Amino acid sequence: MNTVAFADFRTYPLISALSGVQALADRVLATWADGRVSPFHHQWLRDNCPCPQCVYTVTREQVLEIVDVAQDLVPAETSVDSQGCLRVQWQDGHLSRFDPGWLRAHAYDDQSRAERRAGKPKSRLWKSDLSLPVFDYQALMNDNDALLQWLLAVRDIGLTQVRGVPTEPGSLKLIAERISFIRESNFGVLFNVQSKADADSNAYTAFNLPLHSDLPTRELQPGLQFLHCLVNDADGGESIFVDGFAIAEALREEDTESFKALCEIPVEFRNKDRHSDYRCLAPIIALDAMGQISEIRMANFLRGPFDASAEEMPRLYRAYRRFIAMTREAQFRVLTRLNPGEMWCFDNRRTLHARNAFDPASGARHFQGCYVDRDELLSRILVLQR
């Protein structure tokens, strides 16, 4: 038995067979052929029973709620059956069978949990010497293996370029939808990045745009941003990128107190025009449940006045000034010009982007952009992998 389909649509390889099981007062000890011993509490086993009474076979979502099972429920019998599955006959008559591949993948002994943490995808931090991942449009549109490699690079590096994209307006929509549906904002489904007299954002002007993430004024910043070059005949307008995670990690090593200030003290970002008024109060650096950097929220031109206590205000300014100064250091910056038919796709909650000023009198410059949420990227990767 190499892989076994399980209730959540995935398959789980048989890393090691179950060699024995021992019932204790509040748990079952499973022994594996490689010598590992994994405890499974009775509540956990009953809660995760995969039978059709507990999991609806169509949606493969749980219907059992553990509160409907007696808290002191214990097995009447436990064994490893002829197919190598853990078989639990409960005292109330219910039968649960657990595939050994699935059970090992979800074991919560210390060694198993450490393996899972070590196996999780990790961000690959980069500086100015980044070897930019470049992909071909036609390959991404026609080959799921190429598509998966692109999405993994977006996930792990946070900055990619696609070449050979058609320069007709709207072409961006086709490649973005290879991932998922597009996230609409007040700027539209696709937005046009070009200089205009009645601009409702500094992005739609010709002057320098400092390093920032898009829409930090939203509770959830867009995960991915796409920028597709249709025309770029104007002088100037080079793109600049920095890895916000790399800068945050460098700040954590250099000045722990400043790093903590940017993680702990919320800052308000505002985006307002004649018809809308968006505001979000959140720290500049967000950490996930494991204490790893998960998000950078930054756009100085959309920032409201700091609102911190008198004691915290100097600490916040010191940290904020240092973070901005680090984004200007050459060691962190990637500077390049986007040509017609080329497209950026980057993690908007990690990779800060900027644009040098350009001269609109020297030639036309027209980009189109859109957003896709990070959840859609991660979901698409998992589906392609399975």
Side-chain angles (χ1 to χ4, degrees):
M1 175 167 39
N2 293 321
T3 60
V4 180
F6 195 70
D8 62 4
F9 296 98
R10 305 179 199 180
T11 56
Y12 294 89
L14 184 61
I15 297 171
S16 181
L18 276 170
S19 62
V21 60
Q22 179 185 1
L24 300 181
D26 65 341
R27 71 194 71 182
V28 169
L29 288 184
T31 302
W32 304 94
D34 61 4
R36 186 174 302 180
V37 177
S38 302
F40 296 101
H41 288 81
H42 298 155
Q43 291 267 321
W44 188 94
L45 288 169
R46 186 63 187 87
D47 188 30
N48 288 284
C49 177
C51 81
Q53 290 177 257
C54 299
V55 175
Y56 183 39
T57 56
V58 177
T59 63
R60 306 196 184 185
E61 295 177 354
Q62 190 175 32
V63 293
L64 171 74
E65 288 188 294
I66 193 61
V67 72
D68 294 323
V69 176
Q71 188 170 351
D72 59 355
L73 183 68
V74 296
E77 180 187 348
T78 59
S79 62
V80 179
D81 69 15
S82 60
Q83 293 182 296
C85 296
L86 172 62
R87 185 180 186 277
V88 181
Q89 181 74 57
W90 300 97
Q91 284 185 336
D92 63 0
H94 193 83
L95 175 64
S96 300
R97 288 180 72 249
F98 300 91
D99 168 70
W102 181 92
L103 201 62
R104 178 66 173 249
H106 294 85
Y108 51 93
D109 57 89
D110 291 345
Q111 191 173 352
S112 295
R113 296 184 73 218
E115 284 178 350
R116 280 201 295 277
R117 287 195 295 271
K120 287 187 181 297
K122 291 183 174 59
S123 298
R124 289 152 55 188
L125 305 183
W126 48 268
K127 294 186 179 181
S128 61
D129 60 353
L130 168 71
S131 179
L132 180 67
V134 177
F135 299 86
D136 176 72
Y137 172 82
Q138 289 297 336
L140 299 183
M141 295 300 294
N142 298 297
D143 182 350
N144 279 348
D145 289 335
L147 178 64
L148 177 59
Q149 293 310 307
W150 175 43
L151 302 188
L152 290 172
V154 175
R155 182 194 70 185
D156 297 340
I157 299 172
L159 176 62
T160 65
Q161 188 180 95
V162 178
R163 296 177 181 171
V165 185
T167 53
E168 290 78 25
S171 300
L172 169 60
K173 187 172 186 286
L174 297 176
I175 189 167
E177 288 180 341
R178 281 287 280 157
I179 302 175
S180 182
F181 54 86
I182 295 172
R183 171 174 167 175
E184 187 173 6
S185 75
N186 60 306
F187 298 110
V189 176
L190 298 185
F191 52 86
N192 293 289
V193 183
Q194 53 192 158
S195 180
K196 54 186 180 181
D198 61 342
D200 55 357
S201 167
N202 284 3
Y204 306 144
T205 66
F207 51 77
N208 166 66
L209 199 62
L211 286 158
H212 66 285
S213 54
D214 269 25
L215 308 192
T217 56
R218 307 306 200 274
E219 180 180 0
L220 179 65
Q221 298 183 109
L224 306 186
Q225 181 167 173
F226 301 76
L227 285 174
H228 173 214
C229 179
L230 306 179
V231 181
N232 195 4
D233 296 330
D235 294 335
E238 296 84 4
S239 298
I240 304 167
F241 296 96
V242 302
D243 184 351
F245 287 6
I247 291 175
E249 287 291 1
L251 180 63
R252 173 148 53 182
E253 293 181 12
E254 170 192 301
D255 185 346
T256 304
E257 276 306 307
S258 288
F259 176 82
K260 288 177 61 179
L262 296 184
C263 293
E264 295 171 357
I265 304 174
V267 172
E268 187 173 65
F269 293 91
R270 304 172 178 178
N271 178 221
K272 52 196 179 299
D273 64 16
R274 301 170 190 86
H275 307 292
S276 62
D277 195 330
Y278 297 95
R279 304 183 184 216
C280 184
L281 183 68
I284 287 170
I285 301 173
L287 305 180
D288 65 17
M290 305 302 293
Q292 301 300 310
I293 298 164
S294 61
E295 179 176 10
I296 305 295
R297 187 181 294 265
M298 172 64 72
N300 190 69
F301 54 93
L302 298 175
R303 180 177 57 81
F306 285 156
D307 182 9
S309 69
E311 292 74 23
E312 286 185 321
M313 193 66 77
R315 176 174 170 240
L316 176 56
Y317 266 107
R318 177 171 176 268
Y320 186 77
R321 289 175 64 94
R322 183 58 190 140
F323 189 92
I324 296 290
M326 292 175 79
T327 68
R328 297 182 177 186
E329 293 178 10
Q331 64 167 322
F332 290 112
R333 293 161 74 97
V334 170
L335 186 148
T336 185
R337 182 180 176 85
L338 198 65
N339 300 306
E342 296 177 346
M343 183 193 81
W344 296 119
C345 177
F346 56 92
D347 186 335
N348 179 64
R349 291 160 63 188
R350 169 184 176 178
T351 302
L352 304 181
H353 64 292
R355 180 197 66 217
N356 282 339
F358 65 93
D359 180 6
S362 65
R365 186 181 190 275
H366 185 190
F367 287 17
Q368 282 193 318
C370 69
Y371 306 115
V372 169
D373 281 325
R374 193 191 275 174
D375 286 338
E376 307 308 328
L377 168 77
L378 300 179
S379 170
R380 189 77 166 108
I381 288 172
L382 290 174
V383 171
L384 288 170
Q385 285 177 330
R386 78 189 189 202

